[in-house]
Amino acid sequence: MRSGMIQVSEVNKNVLLLAEFLGMETLVSATKIRWLVNLGRGPSLSDDSSDEEIVAAFDEEYGGISEAIGAGLFPSFLAMNPPSKSQSEVAEIAMTPRPDGGNTVVAREFVGREGPNETQCGPLSAVNGLCSKGYVPSCSHVAYDYECRGDEARGDEYPEVQLLLLRRRKYIQLLPRTEHVFAPSDEDRQVKSTLTRFQYAHFIENNGGEVDAILAPPEFSSDEVVRSDPFGVAVIQPVPPCWAESNGFVHSKLDIARVDKQVDKAWEWVHQEIMDKLEGYRSPHDIGTVEIVEREILSKAT
């Protein structure tokens, strides 16, 4: 208690009911957020929803702490529901046409009922930005079938090519908001050890076969603006010796495009991102080879 935190395994129904009765807002708010995270089901919430909005969503769905306990949901406050009982949120990286007749790459998140959130960026910044939000590449080898858009959205509105489909457990990105109140239990720690995310980097070789530069996740940038942008890209040039090994990167199994006809289009935009970020690369012919490397790290969402 001196730390201002309580152990999750020590919280019982009476503690939560008393906190609600006494109006202990910090504990009540953290309780409802943790409960939604563990349930993994409920109304749509964006990553930037306020704590008040999340609490209101819980109350709308379950009526409050006493009502949720009365409905037999207390076990899901103590432990996270298995994936089979949770919902997923979906994101994709897609190539989409511009009004001027060209194309661009977007990271698109299907969260909420007001349409997708889109960020225009390159493929590397798109996959790192989405993975930083808790999304992981889907194991599906089938192109996205518009399940989140509805049949009416087929055709002119989304005439793009999907490059990668990603998913995340619903609400998982909200969990850090509760950690100033609830010290993790042993079960929490076990769950954390199974929830991982990935980061990716591009090693760019020139036509002479030398690694000339690296495009890396934003945290490797010396520019604070880049570091603070989940869709930012750090340019590392010149390349320090053993950079991949010293930072935990290995050869990637990431399949940028899972359908054969998309491969050329995906690599076209990988090359475009390289040319946008690096001086001296004015055409794909200036690029020798590109190696994608990855590292697995504990999810920020857990």
Side-chain angles (χ1 to χ4, degrees), residues 18 86 133 139 164 203-204 221 236 238:
L18 183 60
S86 66
K133 297 184 175 189
C139 60
L164 186 67
F203 274 59
I204 298 99
S221 176
I236 300 175

Side-chain angles (χ1 to χ4, degrees), residues 39-60:
L39 285 165
R41 307 183 65 86
S44 295
L45 293 167
S46 63
D47 291 8
D48 59 358
S49 294
S50 67
D51 289 358
E52 291 76 15
E53 290 171 324
I54 300 168
V55 167
F58 181 93
D59 290 343
E60 181 180 352

Side-chain angles (χ1 to χ4, degrees), residues 74-229:
F74 182 68
S76 61
F77 165 77
L78 295 175
M80 189 173 288
N81 273 346
S84 60
K85 291 187 177 182
S86 66
Q87 297 171 322
S88 292
E89 293 173 329
V90 180
E92 69 174 357
I93 301 171
M95 185 181 72
T96 187
R98 297 194 306 262
D100 62 6
N103 293 291
T104 191
V105 170
V106 297
R108 183 179 289 136
E109 299 173 74
F110 296 92
V111 179
R113 301 185 178 91
E114 298 179 358
N117 299 326
E118 293 188 350
T119 302
Q120 183 175 323
C121 53
L124 178 65
S125 52
V127 71
N128 278 336
L130 292 174
C131 287
S132 74
K133 297 184 175 189
Y135 293 95
V136 294
S138 171
C139 60
S140 171
H141 289 272
V142 179
Y144 192 27
D145 60 3
Y146 292 78
E147 61 185 285
C148 285
R149 306 171 189 173
D151 290 340
E152 70 277 4
R154 294 177 182 271
D156 294 340
E157 186 177 355
Y158 294 100
E160 74 281 315
V161 175
Q162 185 190 84
L163 304 179
L164 186 67
L165 174 66
L166 305 94
R167 299 179 186 275
R168 72 179 178 189
R169 181 187 174 99
K170 197 166 192 177
Y171 304 140
I172 194 64
Q173 78 281 7
L174 303 177
L175 188 55
R177 301 189 187 206
T178 73
E179 293 180 343
H180 67 290
V181 173
F182 294 115
S185 64
D186 290 340
E187 185 164 353
D188 286 343
R189 295 187 184 95
Q190 291 175 5
V191 169
K192 287 183 179 184
S193 69
T194 64
L195 295 174
T196 55
R197 65 185 177 98
F198 290 84
Q199 288 182 321
Y200 301 90
H202 288 167
F203 274 59
I204 298 99
E205 293 186 5
N206 57 29
N207 287 318
E210 298 176 341
V211 178
D212 182 56
I214 300 172
L215 299 187
E219 65 195 61
F220 291 96
S221 176
S222 59
D223 186 336
E224 178 59 32
V225 173
V226 174
R227 287 200 305 272
S228 63
D229 180 3

